[in-house]
Amino acid sequence: MTRIPIVIDGQTVEAERGSTVAAVLLDTGIWGFRSSVQNEPRGPVCGMGICFECRVTIDGVHHRRACMELCRAGMEIETGG
Amino acid sequence: MVETLRAEVTVVGAGPAGIAAACRAAEAGRRVLLLDENPRAGGQIWRGADRRRGSAVARRWLARLADSSARLVDTTAVVDLLGDRVLLTERQGEALVVESERLVIASGARELFLPFPGWTLPNVLGVGGAQALLKSGASFRRRTVVIAGSGPLLLPVAAALAGAGARLPLVAEQAPHARVRRFALSCWRFPEKLLEAARYRAAFLSTALRTGVWAVAARGVEAVALTDGRRRRIEPCDFLLASYGLVPNLELPRLLGCAVAGERVTVDDLQLTTVDNVYCAGEPTGIGGLELALVEGEIAGLAAGGADREAAALIGRRRRLERFQAALNSAFAPRRELAERVEAETTICRCEDVVSRRLDPAGSLRQAKLATRVGMGPCQGRVCGPALVFLRGWESDRVRPPLRVSTLGVLASRKPQDGN
Ligand SMILES: Cc1cc2nc3c(=O)[nH]c(=O)nc-3n(C[C@H](O)[C@H](O)[C@H](O)COP(=O)(O)OP(=O)(O)OC[C@H]3O[C@@H](n4cnc5c(N)ncnc54)[C@H](O)[C@@H]3O)c2cc1C
Ligand code: FES
């Protein structure tokens, strides 16, 4: 398995190539991916691009669905938005 | 200039149904495009599989697709319709127009989520959702996972999680024991399905499997309260998986004008919808599982490819599987008690954080939308819509494009083009 570095909230972690961002965040122990309108932590529900609960900021682009994005080397992810 | 692709047959959705359709149409000599918003072909059940990895059926079909002349256009979501069989799609934030003579819609299904206190906690996921995350690289190793949902999907997911090293204290099926038993008995005609179920069950034998039990509330992030209608019990867990079977993705067929009756697309024997040159296969014509999706896809692909005779030869196989489908859908229908879990302050719309109490004055989804923005967030009602059909008996609202949240650049392509 090839491992690639990605940056999660400023911390570099190793991700397996072919994993989605959502999978890596969960494995890193991050369950709250975003804050809801009422500021509740939310994380992935459907795993398939339907619910939009897994939204994070990727390379400065807001509202990317973490379950639909494969990890790329050097990718910068911000949660909690 | 917006890039345009042309094909004789375009298949939307690269799950089993769409893959079978694309292979068959391409093998019939047509120029075929296969669109999917995922980065890879496979749909829900074959997520993460390829010609080397996955079940034997998955590998066979994915190899057949790769060897065919059909072109997979991945990471591409259909967002709107520009004209007859002219699709506006979005690919990496850019617009891409796809024109074709015939369309096969194989848009699949999603899970039914029903609200209850605590269902918005970040460690409450769908049953299939957890399966999808597992197949996308997540590890549930040494996590305690309680599964409290419904339908045949519970078995492969429990088996997969056990195989991945998760701790599974309980798998709870909401359907009453009598219904599940009747269903199992009616399956004598489908020994292959019983065998498959037994094989899955063998993979998590040390876990309690209960029927007639459901989650009533998720607490904090550490436990779930369940009931069998009489007694409550608390089960500690890291993750709770709670979803209640599948609902078809009908947005695209509805947008195309296809008739839908009883929450499934109306099709004839050759999978042709009520719209000329538009076929539909797989879950949108009724939830029926892998084999039915495959045979429907084959029929649709052959028919769209002009090979009606060969398509007709497969109808018998489909009919047999449709009997299984009917038994399945009545056995696992969600029980009414699931609606009674909702409290005044339970969130119904996760995108806009609309709680149940705020919906009380409304009499329809349309009214509720105007008053509260329920269903108007980025998921466009895909989660709360089917829940409200179950909870309040409200009819699903009309489909409004774009089908996916899109960039402004893509949306600009929707305006009527002047000149040519
Ligand atoms: C989350 C989940 C997990 C599942 N896991 C299993 C399992 O482990 N075992 C099992 O037996 N069954 C599983 N199922 C059931 C399984 O999906 C069905 O039995 C069957 O495989 C459906 O095949 P299909 O081709 O009809 O649809 P799907 O496999 O759902 O494929 C539909 C495809 O269409 C695409 N699509 C939809 N709309 C658009 C659009 N507008 N633009 C572009 N692409 C679009 C989707 O991205 C998807 O890839 C699961 C279902 C779900 C929802
Ligand atoms: S988990 Fe639902 S959209 Fe990503």
Short mmCIF file of all heavy atoms in Angstrom, two decimals, chain B residues 365-400:
data_model
loop_
_atom_site.label_atom_id
_atom_site.label_comp_id
_atom_site.label_asym_id
_atom_site.label_seq_id
_atom_site.Cartn_x
_atom_site.Cartn_y
_atom_site.Cartn_z
N LEU B 365 -45.32 19.55 2.24
CA LEU B 365 -43.89 19.82 2.14
C LEU B 365 -43.66 21.21 1.56
O LEU B 365 -42.78 21.94 2.00
CB LEU B 365 -43.23 18.73 1.29
CG LEU B 365 -41.71 18.70 1.29
CD1 LEU B 365 -41.16 18.71 2.69
CD2 LEU B 365 -41.21 17.46 0.54
N ARG B 366 -44.46 21.57 0.57
CA ARG B 366 -44.33 22.87 -0.07
C ARG B 366 -44.48 24.00 0.97
O ARG B 366 -43.63 24.88 1.09
CB ARG B 366 -45.40 23.00 -1.16
CG ARG B 366 -45.44 24.30 -1.93
CD ARG B 366 -44.30 24.42 -2.93
NE ARG B 366 -44.18 23.25 -3.78
CZ ARG B 366 -44.88 23.06 -4.91
NH1 ARG B 366 -45.74 23.97 -5.31
NH2 ARG B 366 -44.71 21.99 -5.64
N GLN B 367 -45.54 23.93 1.78
CA GLN B 367 -45.77 24.96 2.80
C GLN B 367 -44.64 24.97 3.82
O GLN B 367 -44.15 26.03 4.22
CB GLN B 367 -47.08 24.68 3.55
CG GLN B 367 -48.33 25.05 2.77
CD GLN B 367 -49.60 24.58 3.49
OE1 GLN B 367 -49.53 24.11 4.63
NE2 GLN B 367 -50.72 24.70 2.82
N ALA B 368 -44.23 23.79 4.23
CA ALA B 368 -43.17 23.69 5.23
C ALA B 368 -41.87 24.29 4.71
O ALA B 368 -41.15 24.98 5.43
CB ALA B 368 -42.96 22.23 5.62
N LYS B 369 -41.58 24.09 3.43
CA LYS B 369 -40.37 24.63 2.82
C LYS B 369 -40.38 26.16 2.90
O LYS B 369 -39.39 26.78 3.29
CB LYS B 369 -40.30 24.24 1.34
CG LYS B 369 -39.68 22.89 1.09
CD LYS B 369 -39.54 22.67 -0.41
CE LYS B 369 -38.75 21.40 -0.68
NZ LYS B 369 -38.65 21.13 -2.13
N LEU B 370 -41.51 26.74 2.52
CA LEU B 370 -41.60 28.20 2.51
C LEU B 370 -41.44 28.75 3.92
O LEU B 370 -40.78 29.76 4.14
CB LEU B 370 -42.95 28.64 1.93
CG LEU B 370 -43.09 28.37 0.43
CD1 LEU B 370 -44.49 28.70 -0.05
CD2 LEU B 370 -42.05 29.16 -0.36
N ALA B 371 -42.03 28.08 4.90
CA ALA B 371 -42.03 28.61 6.26
C ALA B 371 -40.71 28.35 6.99
O ALA B 371 -40.30 29.16 7.83
CB ALA B 371 -43.19 28.01 7.05
N THR B 372 -40.05 27.25 6.71
CA THR B 372 -38.91 26.87 7.57
C THR B 372 -37.60 26.58 6.82
O THR B 372 -36.58 26.34 7.45
CB THR B 372 -39.23 25.57 8.36
OG1 THR B 372 -39.31 24.49 7.42
CG2 THR B 372 -40.53 25.67 9.12
N ARG B 373 -37.63 26.52 5.47
CA ARG B 373 -36.48 26.11 4.67
C ARG B 373 -36.19 24.61 4.82
O ARG B 373 -35.13 24.15 4.41
CB ARG B 373 -35.21 26.92 5.01
CG ARG B 373 -35.30 28.37 4.57
CD ARG B 373 -33.93 29.06 4.61
NE ARG B 373 -32.88 28.35 3.90
CZ ARG B 373 -32.72 28.36 2.59
NH1 ARG B 373 -33.56 29.03 1.82
NH2 ARG B 373 -31.73 27.69 2.03
N VAL B 374 -37.08 23.84 5.39
CA VAL B 374 -36.86 22.40 5.47
C VAL B 374 -36.65 21.87 4.04
O VAL B 374 -37.32 22.28 3.10
CB VAL B 374 -38.06 21.68 6.16
CG1 VAL B 374 -39.31 21.71 5.30
CG2 VAL B 374 -37.71 20.24 6.51
N GLY B 375 -35.65 21.00 3.89
CA GLY B 375 -35.41 20.40 2.57
C GLY B 375 -34.79 21.32 1.55
O GLY B 375 -34.69 20.97 0.38
N MET B 376 -34.38 22.54 1.95
CA MET B 376 -33.84 23.48 0.97
C MET B 376 -32.34 23.66 1.09
O MET B 376 -31.75 24.50 0.43
CB MET B 376 -34.57 24.82 1.07
CG MET B 376 -36.02 24.62 0.66
SD MET B 376 -37.02 26.10 0.71
CE MET B 376 -36.33 27.04 -0.63
N GLY B 377 -31.70 22.86 1.92
CA GLY B 377 -30.25 22.94 2.06
C GLY B 377 -29.58 22.16 0.95
O GLY B 377 -30.24 21.72 0.00
N PRO B 378 -28.27 21.97 1.07
CA PRO B 378 -27.52 21.32 -0.01
C PRO B 378 -27.98 19.90 -0.35
O PRO B 378 -27.83 19.47 -1.49
CB PRO B 378 -26.07 21.33 0.49
CG PRO B 378 -26.10 21.83 1.87
CD PRO B 378 -27.41 22.50 2.13
N CYS B 379 -28.56 19.15 0.59
CA CYS B 379 -28.97 17.79 0.21
C CYS B 379 -30.29 17.82 -0.55
O CYS B 379 -30.73 16.81 -1.07
CB CYS B 379 -29.04 16.85 1.42
SG CYS B 379 -30.69 16.64 2.13
N GLN B 380 -30.88 18.99 -0.64
CA GLN B 380 -32.12 19.21 -1.41
C GLN B 380 -33.22 18.23 -1.04
O GLN B 380 -33.95 17.74 -1.90
CB GLN B 380 -31.79 19.12 -2.91
CG GLN B 380 -30.86 20.23 -3.34
CD GLN B 380 -30.34 19.99 -4.74
OE1 GLN B 380 -29.68 18.99 -4.98
NE2 GLN B 380 -30.62 20.91 -5.64
N GLY B 381 -33.30 17.94 0.26
CA GLY B 381 -34.40 17.09 0.72
C GLY B 381 -34.19 15.60 0.50
O GLY B 381 -35.11 14.82 0.69
N ARG B 382 -32.99 15.19 0.08
CA ARG B 382 -32.78 13.77 -0.17
C ARG B 382 -32.81 12.96 1.13
O ARG B 382 -33.12 11.77 1.11
CB ARG B 382 -31.46 13.53 -0.89
CG ARG B 382 -31.57 13.81 -2.38
CD ARG B 382 -30.24 13.60 -3.06
NE ARG B 382 -30.35 13.83 -4.49
CZ ARG B 382 -30.39 15.03 -5.05
NH1 ARG B 382 -30.35 16.12 -4.32
NH2 ARG B 382 -30.50 15.14 -6.36
N VAL B 383 -32.48 13.59 2.25
CA VAL B 383 -32.54 12.89 3.53
C VAL B 383 -33.91 13.10 4.18
O VAL B 383 -34.62 12.15 4.51
CB VAL B 383 -31.39 13.35 4.46
CG1 VAL B 383 -31.53 12.69 5.83
CG2 VAL B 383 -30.04 13.00 3.84
N CYS B 384 -34.30 14.39 4.37
CA CYS B 384 -35.55 14.63 5.11
C CYS B 384 -36.80 14.38 4.27
O CYS B 384 -37.87 14.11 4.83
CB CYS B 384 -35.57 16.03 5.69
SG CYS B 384 -35.56 17.33 4.44
N GLY B 385 -36.70 14.44 2.93
CA GLY B 385 -37.88 14.24 2.08
C GLY B 385 -38.54 12.90 2.33
O GLY B 385 -39.71 12.83 2.74
N PRO B 386 -37.81 11.78 2.10
CA PRO B 386 -38.41 10.47 2.35
C PRO B 386 -38.81 10.28 3.81
O PRO B 386 -39.78 9.58 4.11
CB PRO B 386 -37.30 9.49 1.96
CG PRO B 386 -36.43 10.25 1.01
CD PRO B 386 -36.49 11.67 1.47
N ALA B 387 -38.08 10.93 4.75
CA ALA B 387 -38.45 10.83 6.16
C ALA B 387 -39.81 11.48 6.39
O ALA B 387 -40.65 10.94 7.11
CB ALA B 387 -37.39 11.49 7.04
N LEU B 388 -40.04 12.63 5.75
CA LEU B 388 -41.32 13.32 5.94
C LEU B 388 -42.46 12.57 5.27
O LEU B 388 -43.60 12.63 5.73
CB LEU B 388 -41.22 14.76 5.42
CG LEU B 388 -40.43 15.67 6.37
CD1 LEU B 388 -40.11 17.00 5.71
CD2 LEU B 388 -41.20 15.89 7.68
N VAL B 389 -42.18 11.86 4.19
CA VAL B 389 -43.20 11.01 3.58
C VAL B 389 -43.64 9.99 4.63
O VAL B 389 -44.83 9.75 4.84
CB VAL B 389 -42.65 10.29 2.32
CG1 VAL B 389 -43.64 9.24 1.82
CG2 VAL B 389 -42.35 11.31 1.22
N PHE B 390 -42.68 9.41 5.34
CA PHE B 390 -43.01 8.40 6.35
C PHE B 390 -43.64 9.01 7.60
O PHE B 390 -44.64 8.52 8.12
CB PHE B 390 -41.74 7.62 6.75
CG PHE B 390 -41.96 6.59 7.82
CD1 PHE B 390 -42.59 5.39 7.54
CD2 PHE B 390 -41.54 6.84 9.13
CE1 PHE B 390 -42.80 4.44 8.53
CE2 PHE B 390 -41.75 5.89 10.13
CZ PHE B 390 -42.38 4.69 9.83
N LEU B 391 -43.06 10.13 8.08
CA LEU B 391 -43.52 10.70 9.36
C LEU B 391 -44.87 11.38 9.24
O LEU B 391 -45.72 11.27 10.13
CB LEU B 391 -42.51 11.72 9.87
CG LEU B 391 -41.13 11.20 10.28
CD1 LEU B 391 -40.22 12.37 10.65
CD2 LEU B 391 -41.24 10.23 11.44
N ARG B 392 -45.07 12.15 8.17
CA ARG B 392 -46.27 12.99 8.08
C ARG B 392 -47.15 12.65 6.90
O ARG B 392 -48.16 13.34 6.67
CB ARG B 392 -45.85 14.46 8.01
CG ARG B 392 -45.01 14.86 9.22
CD ARG B 392 -44.99 16.34 9.49
NE ARG B 392 -44.25 16.58 10.71
CZ ARG B 392 -44.62 17.46 11.65
NH1 ARG B 392 -45.69 18.19 11.47
NH2 ARG B 392 -43.89 17.60 12.74
N GLY B 393 -46.74 11.68 6.09
CA GLY B 393 -47.54 11.32 4.92
C GLY B 393 -47.51 12.40 3.84
O GLY B 393 -48.35 12.41 2.94
N TRP B 394 -46.54 13.34 3.92
CA TRP B 394 -46.47 14.39 2.89
C TRP B 394 -45.91 13.82 1.61
O TRP B 394 -44.98 13.01 1.62
CB TRP B 394 -45.54 15.53 3.36
CG TRP B 394 -46.13 16.33 4.46
CD1 TRP B 394 -47.43 16.29 4.90
CD2 TRP B 394 -45.46 17.31 5.26
NE1 TRP B 394 -47.60 17.17 5.93
CE2 TRP B 394 -46.41 17.81 6.17
CE3 TRP B 394 -44.15 17.81 5.29
CZ2 TRP B 394 -46.09 18.80 7.11
CZ3 TRP B 394 -43.83 18.78 6.22
CH2 TRP B 394 -44.80 19.28 7.12
N GLU B 395 -46.45 14.25 0.49
CA GLU B 395 -45.93 13.80 -0.80
C GLU B 395 -44.61 14.48 -1.13
O GLU B 395 -44.39 15.63 -0.74
CB GLU B 395 -46.94 14.14 -1.91
CG GLU B 395 -47.98 13.06 -2.04
CD GLU B 395 -49.00 13.44 -3.09
OE1 GLU B 395 -48.58 13.89 -4.17
OE2 GLU B 395 -50.20 13.27 -2.80
N SER B 396 -43.75 13.77 -1.87
CA SER B 396 -42.49 14.39 -2.27
C SER B 396 -42.82 15.58 -3.18
O SER B 396 -43.77 15.55 -3.94
CB SER B 396 -41.56 13.44 -3.00
OG SER B 396 -42.06 12.14 -3.00
N ASP B 397 -41.99 16.60 -3.07
CA ASP B 397 -42.21 17.83 -3.82
C ASP B 397 -41.67 17.66 -5.24
O ASP B 397 -40.91 16.74 -5.52
CB ASP B 397 -41.47 18.97 -3.11
CG ASP B 397 -42.05 20.32 -3.47
OD1 ASP B 397 -43.14 20.36 -4.06
OD2 ASP B 397 -41.39 21.33 -3.16
N ARG B 398 -42.07 18.57 -6.14
CA ARG B 398 -41.55 18.54 -7.51
C ARG B 398 -40.03 18.65 -7.53
O ARG B 398 -39.44 19.27 -6.65
CB ARG B 398 -42.13 19.74 -8.27
CG ARG B 398 -42.82 19.36 -9.55
CD ARG B 398 -43.20 20.62 -10.31
NE ARG B 398 -42.04 21.38 -10.70
CZ ARG B 398 -42.00 22.72 -10.73
NH1 ARG B 398 -43.03 23.42 -10.37
NH2 ARG B 398 -40.91 23.33 -11.13
N VAL B 399 -39.41 18.06 -8.54
CA VAL B 399 -37.95 18.14 -8.65
C VAL B 399 -37.57 19.47 -9.28
O VAL B 399 -38.12 19.87 -10.29
CB VAL B 399 -37.40 17.02 -9.56
CG1 VAL B 399 -35.90 17.10 -9.63
CG2 VAL B 399 -37.85 15.68 -9.05
N ARG B 400 -36.63 20.13 -8.64
CA ARG B 400 -36.17 21.40 -9.19
C ARG B 400 -34.67 21.30 -9.47
O ARG B 400 -33.90 21.02 -8.56
CB ARG B 400 -36.42 22.53 -8.20
CG ARG B 400 -37.44 23.53 -8.67
CD ARG B 400 -37.76 24.46 -7.53
NE ARG B 400 -38.64 23.77 -6.60
CZ ARG B 400 -39.92 24.07 -6.47
NH1 ARG B 400 -40.43 25.06 -7.16
NH2 ARG B 400 -40.68 23.41 -5.63
#
